Amino acid sequence: MVGETFLFGVLASFQSCLCWALQGAGVETLTPVPSLAMTDGILGKAATMEIPIHGNGEAGQLPEDDGLEQDLQQVMVSGPNLNETSIVSGGYGGSGDGLIPTGSGRHPSHSATPAGPGDEVARGIAGEKFDIVKKWGINTYKCTKQLLSERFGRGSRTVDLELELQIELLRETKRKYESVLQLGRALTAHLYSLLQTQHALGDAFADLSQKSPELQEEFGYNAETQKLLCKNGETLLGAVNFFVSSINTLVTKTMEDTLMTVKQYEAARLEYDAYRTDLEELSLGPRDAGTRGRLESAQATFQAHRDKYEKLRGDVAIKLKFLEENKIKVMHKQLLLFHNAVSAYFAGNQKQLEQTLQQFNIKLRPPGAEKPSWLEEQ
C-alpha cells in the first residue's frame, strides 16, 4: 500500500513537472496539470496508511530510504537543456500564434494573413523542443518506474556479479585511501608546526648565547641542534608533501574518473532494464497491426539501450583493470619513499634522508620562495 501510494504520488508530480517544462518551452499542453482535488486525494491516501505501533504505545516511524532519494535525483537530473536556442513566439508572454489554448471549447479563428517565415521558424523550434522534452519525459518515466519497482521488490534487474563486486571493492578502497589522505594532511600540519617551533627555539638559543657569556657554549650547541633538526624536518616535510600530493591525485582524479564511468554504467543499466521490461510487457500483449508496430519500435529502442549498456560495461571493466595496475605502481613508489624518509629522519641520518629525496626526484623549495602557479604544477 505504501509503495503504490508513493509511486502514484511520484508519477503525478512528474506529470506536473513535465507540463510545466512544456509550457516553458513555448508549447501549450492539452493535458491539464493535476488539480487540487487530485492532490488532496493523494494526500488523503497517504494520510490513511497504516502506521505501526510499538509495544510502548508510540507510533513507529516509517523507514527512510536515502538511497532511493539519491537514485531518483540522479534520474531526474539528466533533463534536456532547453536554453540552447531561444523561442521567438509562444510560451509565457508570447503571442501564442497557431496554438490551441486549453480550457476553451472555441476553435481558433483563422487569420487571413499568411504566416511569415519567422513564425514558421518559431514553430519549428517549438516543435523540436517539444520532441526533446517528450523523449526525456518518456525515458525518465520508464526509469523511475523501473527504479521504484526494483526498490519495492516487484521488478527484476540485470546484475553482473563479478563487476558489481569490483565496483564495491573500488568504493571501499576509495574510502580507506581518503582516510589515509586525511591522516597524511594532519601529519603535514603537525610537522610544519614542529618546524616553526624548532626554528623559533633555535633563534632564541642563539640570541641567549650572545647575551649570556657564562652559558654561551650550552646555548650555542642547543641552537645548532635545533637548526639541524629544522633542516632535516624540512626535508622530511618535502617527502611527506610529495606522498600526500600523490595520494590526493590517485583518489580525487584517477579513482573519481573511474567512478564517474561507473555512474554512467549504472544509469545505462537502469535504462536497459526499463526498456527490457517494456518490451516484455508488449510481447505478452495481443498481436495486431498497431501492436506489431509498437513492438518493432520497442525492439529497436531496447537494442540501442542494450548496446549502450554493454559498451559502458566494457569501459568500466577496462578502467577498473587499469586503475588497479596504476594504483599498485603508484603506491609501491610512495610507500617506499615514506618509509625511507621517516626512518632516516628519526635515525638522524641526514645523508640518507637527502639521498631518498634525490632517488625520487623531489626538489625542495628554498625558504621564502613563492608557491608555483597552477600552470607550473601541471
Side-chain angles (χ1 to χ4, degrees):
M1 178 64 184
V2 177
E4 294 177 354
T5 305
F6 178 67
L7 176 60
F8 184 75
V10 170
L11 297 180
S13 302
F14 171 74
Q15 182 185 12
S16 303
C17 295
L18 180 59
C19 293
W20 176 82
L22 292 175
Q23 292 175 356
V27 178
E28 295 275 353
T29 59
L30 297 178
T31 303
V33 179
S35 61
L36 182 60
M38 182 182 296
T39 305
D40 294 338
I42 297 173
L43 295 177
K45 291 184 178 180
T48 57
M49 292 188 301
E50 296 182 0
I51 300 177
I53 305 297
H54 297 297
N56 56 4
E58 297 180 356
Q61 298 293 332
L62 293 176
E64 297 182 359
D65 195 343
D66 296 336
L68 176 60
E69 181 180 355
Q70 294 176 359
D71 291 337
L72 286 175
Q73 291 177 354
Q74 184 177 359
V75 170
M76 297 297 293
V77 78
S78 58
N81 183 9
L82 299 178
N83 296 324
E84 296 178 355
T85 56
S86 59
I87 298 180
V88 179
S89 62
Y92 299 108
S95 60
D97 293 339
L99 300 178
I100 302 176
T102 58
S104 175
R106 295 175 299 176
H107 294 284
S109 59
H110 296 281
S111 175
T113 306
D119 295 335
E120 294 295 334
V121 173
R123 291 193 183 95
I125 295 175
E128 179 183 354
K129 292 195 174 184
F130 174 79
D131 292 338
I132 293 174
V133 175
K134 178 182 177 181
K135 292 179 181 179
W136 170 80
I138 294 175
N139 183 76
T140 305
Y141 167 77
K142 292 181 181 294
C143 292
T144 305
K145 180 182 177 182
Q146 175 67 24
L147 178 63
L148 295 174
S149 299
E150 293 177 3
R151 288 306 178 101
F152 292 121
R154 298 184 179 181
S156 61
R157 65 187 298 263
T158 304
V159 179
D160 189 331
L161 294 178
E162 183 179 358
L163 191 60
E164 293 289 338
L165 182 61
Q166 294 179 6
I167 291 173
E168 186 60 30
L169 181 61
L170 171 60
R171 291 191 171 115
E172 181 66 22
T173 302
K174 184 174 182 290
R175 286 191 290 268
K176 293 181 179 180
Y177 273 64
E178 287 174 344
S179 177
V180 172
L181 178 61
Q182 182 179 4
L183 293 174
R185 287 172 174 169
L187 177 61
T188 301
H190 293 322
L191 283 175
Y192 181 78
S193 299
L194 176 62
L195 289 178
Q196 296 299 314
T197 303
Q198 288 176 338
H199 189 274
L201 190 59
D203 291 341
F205 284 155
D207 183 63
L208 287 173
S209 67
Q210 299 296 329
K211 297 180 180 180
S212 303
E214 64 279 4
L215 296 175
Q216 182 176 6
E217 183 179 355
E218 289 80 359
F219 278 125
Y221 61 68
N222 274 282
E224 292 297 329
T225 301
Q226 294 300 321
K227 289 181 180 180
L228 179 61
L229 289 175
C230 189
K231 181 179 179 181
N232 292 344
E234 290 176 353
T235 307
L236 176 64
L237 183 61
V240 175
N241 277 330
F242 186 77
F243 174 80
V244 171
S245 176
S246 300
I247 299 296
N248 181 67
T249 302
L250 180 64
V251 171
T252 61
K253 293 185 179 180
T254 310
M255 291 185 178
E256 190 64 31
D257 177 71
T258 304
L259 288 176
M260 288 297 296
T261 307
V262 169
K263 291 180 181 179
Q264 296 175 4
Y265 157 75
E266 292 174 344
R269 196 277 311 164
L270 183 63
E271 292 179 351
Y272 164 72
D273 283 339
Y275 284 92
R276 175 183 57 80
T277 303
D278 186 48
L279 180 61
E280 292 174 354
E281 292 177 354
L282 287 176
S283 300
L284 296 176
R287 299 295 182 90
D288 52 16
T291 307
R292 190 177 298 110
R294 293 174 56 193
L295 187 61
E296 293 177 356
S297 176
Q299 180 68 37
T301 307
F302 164 74
Q303 187 62 38
H305 285 282
R306 181 180 181 180
D307 294 340
K308 179 182 178 182
Y309 163 73
E310 292 180 348
K311 178 181 180 300
L312 285 172
R313 182 175 62 178
D315 293 344
V316 169
I318 293 174
K319 283 198 172 186
L320 287 174
K321 179 181 177 181
F322 286 155
L323 174 62
E324 185 66 21
E325 295 176 354
N326 187 35
K327 183 191 71 175
I328 294 175
K329 180 180 178 181
V330 170
M331 292 308 300
H332 175 76
K333 176 181 177 181
Q334 296 303 319
L335 291 174
L336 183 62
L337 162 67
F338 189 81
H339 174 268
N340 292 345
V342 173
S343 300
Y345 172 79
F346 285 101
N349 195 336
Q350 180 182 0
K351 184 177 180 181
Q352 183 182 355
L353 188 59
E354 293 177 352
Q355 289 177 353
T356 300
L357 266 66
Q358 293 177 359
Q359 178 183 356
F360 293 96
N361 298 321
I362 301 176
K363 296 181 180 180
L364 297 178
R365 291 186 292 123
E370 296 182 357
K371 184 179 179 180
S373 63
W374 64 272
L375 187 59
E376 295 174 347
E377 291 178 350
Q378 300 302 317

